[in-house]
Amino acid sequence: MIQDNPTLITAIRNRFAHIDSCPFQGPRVYFENGGGALTLKSVVETSAKYAAFPDNQGRDNPAAKALVKTIEKAKADLAVLMNPTSGQFIVGETGTELLFRMIRTACLNAPKGSKVIGSSIEHPSSRSAARHWAGIGGMDYVNVAHSDANGIVTAQDYAAQMTPDVAVATILHASPVTGIGIDVAAISKVIRAVAPDCMIIVDGIQHAAHGQINLAAYDADGYAISPYKVFSRHGYGIAWISDRLTALPHEALIGGPTNNWELGTRDTGAFAAISDVVAYFDWLGGEVSEEINPRQRIEAAGKAINNYETVLTDTLINGTGNLPGLREMDEVTILAGADNLKREGTVSFVVEGVASTDVVSMLNKGGIRTHVRKADHYSGNILKPLDLPDCIRISMCHYNTTQEVSQVLAVMNEIDS
């Protein structure tokens, strides 16, 4: 277990750039992982290495052939990380862009007069795309309401609004506002029970860093991640698409390979960087288990990450030593409830009588990086039903420590007093 092994925690932290210091601010605790995780040092080195190569893939020379092997290895590594049974991985501009492409393709190829179903919990990456392309495709959009109290949308919620004419469905794997995880496999199952041919697209962007991905269990057609939120870098997104989705008419060069979804030459360094991420998960799995098989090591890493991040969030909520937790502070309200078992590394809250921007500023002055989520086009779907203009989000990853959480509580107890 990570929490019981200080040596392992040190080894984990040593693998990440700027783990305890910002190049612009100086020493700081990084609790803004929901906005972008820390980057592996190996990713930084790999990115610099590949940025220097002048060659492209697909040429008849040793450099081009080496680049192709790098891409092939990355896609094989992604298969170990995400565990599909078929389909293909593609790289695009961002996770959001890939969600739009997948949803657009699904909607424009859906039967006329059919429906798109999605939930109010979703990030606008999928929700905006679904509503936009439903309108253009002449489809009805069906909204599944989430619970304001616990931040969850369930399979039963989807089932209550499912009809056989639903042709496209979107599912969020975890909320970037509250960090609450959603049971994708259960929702997919109730969708297929009523509309077996429905195209199911999943937004896995927030979830990817906090627990393993198991595409084989989801029975979906598309799944997107943003590598900068899972220890890689900005500048690209990754999606898995099923054979069914791959085969639909989509944007492509005339005369080119029919199954190709990638437009233009992709950055080989992006592929190499995601291999570094997979190698990291594999290493961690070997540290927390005796597993030999790479997929089983990655599953072990995911379980260890989930368990340790639960320790971190529980410490923030319940306190440690003589430091009271957020739930004991009279003026603090925790979004989605203090005892929510679906939480993935994130705690969002408000302080009565103190603006969230001021709380974040005070934490920042204490050397703690957090973030304000406002009731805007990104987070209004969560905050407006709660009559909240904003909230403070503390988002953690498994390289954070309980000592860092204690620093937050020390500042928060001063604010609450």
Side-chain angles (χ1 to χ4, degrees):
M1 302 296 287
I2 297 174
Q3 60 266 32
D4 299 323
N5 192 336
T7 301
L8 177 57
I9 292 176
T10 298
I12 289 170
R13 289 171 66 83
N14 284 340
R15 281 166 167 75
F16 287 89
H18 304 304
I19 186 71
D20 54 13
S21 181
C22 170
F24 305 100
Q25 180 183 5
R28 59 93 179 92
V29 172
Y30 192 75
F31 279 149
E32 226 285 85
N33 294 284
L38 294 177
T39 307
L40 285 163
K41 292 176 181 177
S42 58
V43 164
V44 177
E45 294 166 359
T46 293
S47 297
K49 172 184 173 181
Y50 278 85
F53 297 153
D55 299 277
N56 288 327
Q57 315 109 24
R59 273 61 167 176
D60 185 16
N61 64 66
K65 292 175 182 177
L67 297 181
V68 169
K69 287 183 179 179
T70 297
I71 294 171
E72 291 173 345
K73 179 181 184 302
K75 292 183 176 182
D77 290 340
L78 282 166
V80 176
L81 176 67
M82 298 174 71
N83 200 36
T85 57
S86 59
Q88 65 164 321
F89 291 98
I90 60 171
V91 164
E93 178 186 352
T94 63
T96 295
E97 182 259 345
L98 288 168
L99 284 167
F100 265 78
R101 284 196 67 199
M102 291 188 289
I103 292 167
R104 175 171 71 243
T105 299
C107 287
L108 294 183
N109 287 283
K112 296 300 179 185
S114 58
K115 296 176 181 176
V116 181
I117 194 169
S119 74
S120 58
I121 194 71
E122 292 177 38
H123 185 277
S125 295
S126 58
R127 190 166 169 80
S128 297
R131 293 176 67 177
H132 177 78
W133 288 105
I136 291 177
M139 307 170 75
D140 290 330
Y141 181 83
V142 179
N143 177 60
V144 181
H146 71 279
S147 165
D148 294 330
N150 60 25
I152 293 172
V153 63
T154 67
Q156 291 74 24
D157 296 329
Y158 268 78
Q161 300 209 52
M162 277 300 301
T163 52
D165 55 351
V166 171
V168 180
T170 56
I171 307 172
L172 179 71
H173 208 158
S175 169
V177 182
T178 63
I180 302 304
I182 307 299
D183 191 340
V184 171
I187 293 173
S188 178
K189 185 176 180 180
V190 299
I191 290 171
R192 295 243 180 263
V194 178
D197 295 327
C198 180
M199 286 284 177
I200 300 175
I201 313 297
V202 182
D203 173 359
I205 292 171
Q206 181 67 24
H207 171 76
H210 300 290
Q212 71 258 30
I213 298 167
N214 186 9
L215 293 173
Y218 304 154
D219 197 12
D221 292 287
Y223 192 101
I225 65 172
S226 291
Y228 79 95
K229 289 196 177 187
V230 57
F231 320 136
S232 188
R233 58 177 173 82
H234 286 271
Y236 69 115
I238 292 174
W240 169 83
I241 54 176
S242 69
D243 292 336
R244 290 198 317 145
L245 185 53
T246 293
L248 291 180
H250 57 276
E251 299 97 337
L253 300 181
I254 296 173
T258 57
N259 286 346
N260 182 38
W261 275 57
E262 293 174 346
L263 300 173
T265 302
R266 308 313 309 176
D267 174 15
T268 305
F271 287 97
I274 205 64
S275 283
D276 286 335
V277 172
V278 179
Y280 170 76
F281 278 116
D282 182 90
W283 166 80
L284 181 58
E287 294 295 312
V288 298
S289 75
E290 301 296 325
E291 300 291 350
I292 304 236
N293 176 274
R295 173 61 193 175
Q296 291 174 342
R297 283 199 297 265
I298 286 173
E299 289 177 349
K303 291 176 183 176
I305 287 170
N306 180 265
N307 290 337
Y308 180 52
E309 289 180 352
T310 297
V311 170
L312 295 175
T313 55
D314 285 353
T315 301
L316 181 62
I317 292 169
N318 299 316
T320 179
N322 62 350
L323 286 169
L326 293 179
R327 75 187 308 157
E328 299 175 65
M329 299 179 190
D330 293 336
E331 308 304 323
V332 170
T333 299
I334 299 172
L335 274 63
D339 299 309
N340 199 320
L341 298 179
K342 299 294 184 180
R343 183 170 275 113
E344 294 185 358
T346 294
V347 180
S348 291
F349 60 96
V350 291
V351 181
E352 186 178 352
V354 186
S356 295
T357 50
D358 291 340
V359 175
V360 168
S361 179
M362 286 183 272
L363 286 167
N364 197 40
K365 288 178 181 177
I368 301 156
R369 183 76 53 82
T370 59
H371 185 53
V372 172
R373 299 302 307 194
K374 297 180 179 180
D376 55 13
H377 61 292
Y378 282 114
S379 306
N381 60 321
I382 307 296
L383 297 175
K384 288 179 181 179
L386 299 172
D387 293 323
L388 295 175
D390 49 37
C391 69
I392 304 104
R393 182 184 67 186
I394 295 180
S395 47
M396 295 170 268
C397 266
H398 66 282
Y399 41 65
N400 291 122
T401 67
T402 53
Q403 289 80 9
E404 290 177 326
V405 175
S406 294
Q407 289 180 245
V408 173
L409 291 177
V411 176
M412 285 303 305
N413 275 281
E414 290 181 7
I415 294 172
D416 187 65
S417 61

